[in-house]
Amino acid sequence: MKKYKVGIIGATGMVGQRFSLLLDKHPWFDVVCLAASPRSAGKTYREAAGDKWKLADPMPESMADMVILNAEEDVEKIASQVDFVFCAVDMKKDEIRALEEKYAKAECPVVSNNSAHRHTPDVPMVIPEINPDHIEIIKAQRERLGTKKGFIAVKSNCSLQSYVPALAPLHDKYKVTKALACTYQAISGAGRTFKTWPEILDNVIPYIGGEEEKSEQEPMKIWGHIEGNVIVDATEPNITAQCLRVPVSDGHTAAVFVSFENKPSKEEILEAWKSFSGVPQELELPSAPKQFLNYFEENDRPQAKLDRNLEGGMAVSIGRLREDTQYDYKFVCLSHNTLRGAAGGAVLLAELLASKGYFD
């Protein structure tokens, strides 16, 4: 695979920082420029991040002295230097939509961590193991934008990255009719640490703005299909969600309840999880976990502290499968929200796009 030149737009935020760590020494992608808000532009990455560096691992030395460009004003300059960009900016949704289209129209493909374009009908929202075929809509999107190379592709919300992968092989084989998911979400999902959010200690907050709607609606696009020039959302399964913020640094946990049209046995569910793999595993993409879904037999697993970093934080952990009195079954899932759920998921999507020639 050739080396692609890459930019990180929104490099100073927590997800941007995670992108920098994941892309340092990446076998396919070479970071050549960083961009952020006007207040960071003109400073080195080290200066701009300063005491706002939120991750345990230090800033990559290969990027520390890069001078930050202006994400909004230097679009043409950035587009001339890169094959594509990752985008993780902190702006209003309408501003993000406009900015990402501006990059795309400058013939710079965008792989986005943001939610602004998740429901744009010709923008693929991809979990690479589940709906890799949705990237084929890019041809129609390019026609709409009037571009030859530029496009936008997005990853889905972090809160559903634990339970949708667990439901996917079951839905394929046994048709899920309804599911309830209660998510217990880490503070890094809000871009926070215990140092910057002491109020979360000894506390649970029963509301995360917009999260329940995303958790219920985004799976419908993931399970949808391409029809003409748009992705048509699925109409089932029926999903309801409740999302809570909990005092955990990283790792979103979900308690899932599920019913089926054709109820499988417990053994059939376990086998479906064990045998499930997708295009990333077939192609052996650099960030793809070898075993995507991992079931733990222990009653007290998965745990965020023990299991969130499984396979570099790109695998999903599952446990406590048992029958339920109201639904057919219930179980618990866990995924690392800033790796599989955010930057890592976007890097895996970019690897899929690269392998299919979308950056060439």
Side-chain angles (χ1 to χ4, degrees), residues 309-330:
N309 290 314
L310 186 63
E311 294 221 37
M314 292 298 289
V316 173
S317 301
I318 312 170
R320 302 204 68 214
L321 174 65
R322 59 225 191 272
E323 293 200 42
D324 184 62
T325 58
Q326 306 298 315
Y327 289 73
D328 288 336
Y329 289 96
K330 53 191 172 187

Side-chain angles (χ1 to χ4, degrees), residues 118 185 276:
R118 287 183 190 154
Q185 300 185 204
F276 183 55

Side-chain angles (χ1 to χ4, degrees), residues 20-331:
S20 74
L21 291 174
L22 290 174
L23 296 171
D24 187 36
K25 300 182 178 65
H26 189 282
W28 295 2
F29 305 145
D30 184 22
V31 176
V32 298
C33 69
L34 305 171
S37 66
R39 65 180 176 273
S40 296
K43 300 176 182 177
T44 66
Y45 195 21
R46 195 193 317 272
E47 292 167 341
D51 58 5
K52 297 193 297 288
W53 186 263
K54 299 175 180 179
L55 305 180
D57 293 325
M59 177 183 290
E61 283 299 321
S62 61
M63 303 175 208
D65 294 322
M66 283 188 182
V67 176
I68 303 289
L69 298 173
N70 188 315
E72 297 176 76
E73 295 181 3
D74 292 330
V75 174
E76 295 290 342
K77 183 176 181 180
I78 293 165
S80 70
Q81 296 179 28
V82 302
D83 294 304
F84 72 96
V85 296
F86 291 102
C87 190
V89 294
D90 183 12
M91 300 164 63
K92 295 177 181 177
K93 277 193 179 182
D94 58 342
E95 295 174 346
I96 295 172
R97 273 193 290 270
L99 183 67
E100 291 182 342
E101 284 209 359
K102 191 174 180 180
Y103 277 94
K105 288 178 178 178
E107 299 294 357
C108 178
V110 178
V111 179
S112 178
N113 183 72
N114 300 303
S115 64
H117 273 293
R118 287 183 190 154
H119 292 291
T120 303
D122 60 8
V123 170
M125 178 174 65
V126 179
I127 298 176
E129 286 88 352
I130 298 174
N131 61 329
D133 57 304
H134 281 199
I135 64 175
E136 294 169 14
I137 198 68
I138 288 170
K139 181 177 183 292
Q141 185 195 145
R142 282 172 167 163
E143 290 175 0
R144 173 177 65 84
L145 295 174
T147 60
K148 293 182 178 179
K149 182 182 176 185
F151 65 87
I152 303 161
V154 302
K155 52 152 292 298
S156 61
N157 192 51
C158 57
S159 67
L160 55 87
Q161 297 280 339
S162 55
Y163 62 87
V164 167
L167 291 174
L170 307 182
H171 189 48
D172 290 344
K173 289 188 176 184
Y174 307 109
K175 196 173 182 183
V176 175
T177 56
K178 62 178 182 177
L180 181 156
C182 294
T183 63
Y184 306 90
Q185 300 185 204
I187 62 174
S188 56
R192 309 287 284 275
T193 65
F194 290 123
K195 183 178 179 181
T196 61
W197 200 3
E199 298 84 3
I200 195 67
L201 293 170
D202 193 30
N203 197 12
V204 171
I205 299 173
Y207 174 72
I208 307 172
E211 206 73 3
E212 288 159 5
E213 294 82 0
K214 294 173 187 175
S215 299
E216 295 169 355
Q217 295 166 9
E218 289 186 17
M220 298 302 99
K221 185 171 184 179
I222 291 166
W223 279 314
H225 66 279
I226 295 174
E227 194 172 298
N229 294 330
V230 299
I231 296 169
V232 178
D233 289 0
T235 57
E236 55 187 7
N238 190 339
I239 296 177
T240 185
Q242 184 149 276
C243 302
L244 295 82
R245 189 73 71 191
V246 295
V248 171
S249 59
D250 293 300
H252 287 355
T253 299
V256 183
F257 302 76
V258 60
S259 289
F260 300 92
E261 185 174 288
N262 306 298
K263 182 181 177 180
S265 68
K266 181 178 178 180
E267 290 71 28
E268 287 172 325
I269 293 175
L270 293 175
E271 178 55 33
W273 285 337
K274 183 179 180 181
S275 61
F276 183 55
S277 66
V279 171
Q281 286 72 36
E282 293 169 16
L283 296 177
E284 297 183 343
L285 300 179
S287 299
K290 288 182 173 58
Q291 180 65 40
F292 183 32
L293 306 178
N294 297 264
Y295 186 78
F296 288 84
E297 296 286 350
E298 299 91 333
N299 285 330
D300 61 351
R301 303 283 285 278
Q303 292 180 29
K305 201 168 187 177
L306 298 179
D307 304 312
R308 60 194 170 205
N309 290 314
L310 186 63
E311 294 221 37
M314 292 298 289
V316 173
S317 301
I318 312 170
R320 302 204 68 214
L321 174 65
R322 59 225 191 272
E323 293 200 42
D324 184 62
T325 58
Q326 306 298 315
Y327 289 73
D328 288 336
Y329 289 96
K330 53 191 172 187
F331 53 88

